[in-house]
Amino acid sequence: MEQTGGEISDKVPGFIAWMDTPSGKVPQISTTLSNVDHLGACMARWGINRMGYIVPPGLYAIGTPDSAALVVVTANYKMSYDRVRSALSGRNLWLLVLETFGVNVWCAAGKGTFGTGELVKRINKADLQKVLTQRQLILPILGAPGISAHEVAKRTGFSVQYAAIRADDLPRFFDHKMITTPEMRKVSFTTYERLVLIPVEIVLTLKSLALISAVVFLIAFMANGYSASVVMALACLGAVLTGVVTVPILLPWIPFRSFVLKGLLAGLGWCSLLYYSVGGCSWDITTTAAAFLGLPAISAFYSLNFTGCTTFTSRSGVKKEMHLGIPALGAAIMVSAVLLAVGRFL
Amino acid sequence: MTGMCYIKNVTTLKLNQTACTGCGRCIEVCPHQVFALEGRKARIDDRDACMECGACAKNCPVNIIAVDAGVGCASGMISEWLQEHNVPGIKSGGRCC
Ligand code: SF4
Ligand code: SF4
């Protein structure tokens, strides 16, 4: 069951006071984030209480907006809400928060929860037609995959303007006659933007990571004894982390467009590093072959997984990679395991 | 985006230019500057940059853009694929970025 944002009350983050409007009371909220807000954001990045990181959907007031003030629309993921309100500091605007079940604008638009139906529903529920004399909504560009602007206009009379990709660009947008510059329209995927995605990826992989390491350790322990099993478990752990951490960080600098190839290359790097640091020249031929086959394949699988987080990979591209890549990677890991087993009996 | 280009020649994006009214909506919503306005018509200018988000198709008022945008995000597709192919045990959980 998806978690909802609940009802607006005086407990909403940043609550200052109630404001009277023709359609009832609206909470006026602060544009300054508190330490609690910053801590919450940090925890959410590590996947802690991420599901509870949600605000109630509905209409909020920033400053003292009147009936002619503009309306900015966002999702009810608390980080989206915090980003937008802090970017609107010093202005008088309405903030309309959609119920996206605590998911950010981009992912919610892809799922359709940041969508035409929900927007129309929120406009009617907040009775925007009564609160406002103007008929314009400002939306984030990354919400466009879920919204059909002409449909919204037809059903509510409100026209939609897509302002910018990043909330940080909103001040510039409002200060410059509400014109979206080409820069504001360009999606970015900077090192920082990639970095902040990694913690939660690690947390999400922890379970399979622990499992894989444990299984590998046990098998190796039974077969080859303690020190070999530690090396093997570490080798696999490193291969996974190469896919989950190294590839995302070094993304633009690793050659190839394909994430499978990027992962293979990075995995090969990890394997070579391991080979030279733990004295791989003493490995027998099957172990060496198994390592150089299996470890890059593990990295490639995990780096393919990262396509879900990027802002530039297409569905058809991922499909193509999976179609060719997953059978090949699966085969490589299998052959690698067989090699290790065979090596035991040689 | 410099340094960030995905696989070429895969996008399912299609535009029926003849019916285009030149409203510019597709240019407004595309995060990868795939379209350009040429005279009074939109044109696909940088096809390989398309990430198939579906924003253009959804917002074109005369409905002349088609793209297989699908649902959810790509990591969800991996678990979808694994389930379709009956690979047990591995799941990315259908989560989102
Ligand atoms: S699907 Fe998205 S990325 Fe592709 S052209 Fe349309 S708006 Fe641009
Ligand atoms: S949104 Fe449709 S009608 Fe408008 S410019 Fe683009 S293709 Fe043409």
Side-chain angles (χ1 to χ4, degrees), chain A residues 106 144-145, chain B residues 11 13 26 29-35 44 46-47 49-57 65-69:
Chain A
W106 170 241
Chain B
T11 180
L13 181 71
C26 50
V29 298
C30 178
H32 286 287
Q33 292 70 50
V34 169
F35 299 95
I44 297 178
D46 188 3
R47 166 178 296 275
C50 174
M51 69 180 300
E52 299 183 317
C53 69
C56 52
I65 305 175
V67 62
D68 172 22

Side-chain angles (χ1 to χ4, degrees), chain A residues 21-327:
Chain A
T21 75
S23 71
K25 284 185 190 316
V26 169
Q28 191 189 34
I29 53 167
S30 159
T31 54
T32 316
L33 302 187
S34 66
N35 288 336
V36 177
D37 295 326
H38 289 299
L39 181 70
C42 201
M43 283 178 19
R45 295 223 183 275
W46 282 95
I48 305 166
N49 192 26
R50 200 170 158 92
M51 291 302 130
Y53 213 52
I54 192 168
V55 297
L59 190 65
Y60 294 77
I62 287 173
T64 47
D66 56 15
S67 63
L70 289 160
V71 185
V72 176
V73 180
T74 192
N76 78 334
Y77 178 41
K78 178 154 182 294
M79 215 176 309
S80 311
Y81 167 90
D82 281 350
R83 282 231 182 100
V84 173
R85 67 183 168 115
S86 61
L88 297 177
S89 153
R91 291 165 210 274
N92 299 313
L93 293 160
W94 301 101
L95 182 65
L96 185 65
V97 176
L98 305 191
E99 175 65 87
T100 61
F101 307 98
V103 172
N104 68 42
V105 171
W106 170 241
C107 287
K111 288 180 180 165
T113 48
F114 190 97
T116 308
E118 167 63 14
L119 178 57
V120 170
K121 187 174 139 194
R122 282 303 144 200
I123 291 171
N124 294 335
K125 216 161 174 182
D127 227 342
L128 275 195
Q129 282 92 345
K130 224 155 84 192
V131 179
L132 299 170
T133 50
Q134 64 92 4
R135 289 288 177 267
Q136 195 181 12
L137 304 171
I138 310 290
L139 266 74
I141 293 179
L142 290 185
I147 304 277
S148 180
H150 50 282
E151 188 78 15
V152 173
K154 208 159 65 191
R155 285 166 64 180
T156 64
F158 278 91
S159 70
V160 167
Q161 183 176 358
Y162 295 103
I165 287 192
R166 288 162 293 270
D168 302 348
D169 279 333
L170 282 173
R172 267 205 299 156
F173 172 78
F174 285 116
D175 289 342
H176 291 93
K177 302 187 185 126
M178 295 182 35
I179 291 170
T180 304
T181 64
E183 271 316 302
M184 296 180 199
R185 209 171 268 149
K186 261 190 209 137
V187 73
S188 56
F189 203 38
T190 60
T191 308
Y192 177 75
E193 284 168 316
R194 297 196 302 280
L195 268 177
V196 297
L197 293 175
I198 292 171
V200 90
E201 288 300 304
I202 296 178
V203 172
L204 286 168
T205 358
L206 274 183
K207 222 165 66 186
S208 59
L209 205 62
L211 199 74
I212 293 174
S213 312
V215 169
V216 168
F217 179 83
L218 265 180
I219 295 175
F221 186 73
M222 288 189 293
N224 297 320
Y226 185 72
S227 63
S229 55
V230 170
V231 171
M232 269 193 73
L234 276 180
C236 290
L237 192 77
V240 172
L241 289 178
T242 301
V244 176
V245 180
T246 317
V247 171
I249 293 177
L250 300 181
L251 200 65
W253 301 289
I254 303 175
F256 303 120
R257 288 164 184 257
S258 146
F259 277 57
V260 167
L261 293 181
K262 278 179 193 284
L264 282 176
L265 195 66
L268 213 56
W270 160 245
C271 193
S272 312
L273 194 75
L274 189 78
Y275 186 83
Y276 288 110
S277 53
V278 299
C281 20
S282 65
W283 295 352
D284 56 37
I285 178 84
T286 46
T287 311
T288 313
F292 278 92
L293 201 61
L295 296 178
I298 295 175
S299 304
F301 179 81
Y302 280 92
S303 75
L304 178 59
N305 205 36
F306 190 68
T307 53
C309 299
T310 76
T311 46
F312 66 98
T313 51
S314 63
R315 182 178 163 86
S316 300
V318 175
K319 255 192 207 163
K320 186 175 173 184
E321 286 215 70
M322 289 199 298
H323 190 72
L324 298 170
I326 291 192

Side-chain angles (χ1 to χ4, degrees), chain B residues 3-65:
Chain B
M4 309 251 189
C5 318
Y6 200 42
I7 306 176
K8 283 184 180 178
N9 297 322
V10 287
T11 180
T12 50
L13 181 71
K14 283 196 189 75
L15 163 72
N16 171 11
Q17 210 185 27
T18 41
C20 176
T21 63
C23 71
R25 199 52 120 163
C26 50
I27 295 163
E28 186 186 338
V29 298
C30 178
H32 286 287
Q33 292 70 50
V34 169
F35 299 95
L37 219 49
E38 190 179 54
R40 302 285 305 144
K41 303 262 185 212
R43 172 171 62 81
I44 297 178
D45 192 44
D46 188 3
R47 166 178 296 275
D48 285 330
C50 174
M51 69 180 300
E52 299 183 317
C53 69
C56 52
K58 196 120 195 186
N59 283 278
C60 172
V62 288
N63 206 9
I64 54 170
I65 305 175

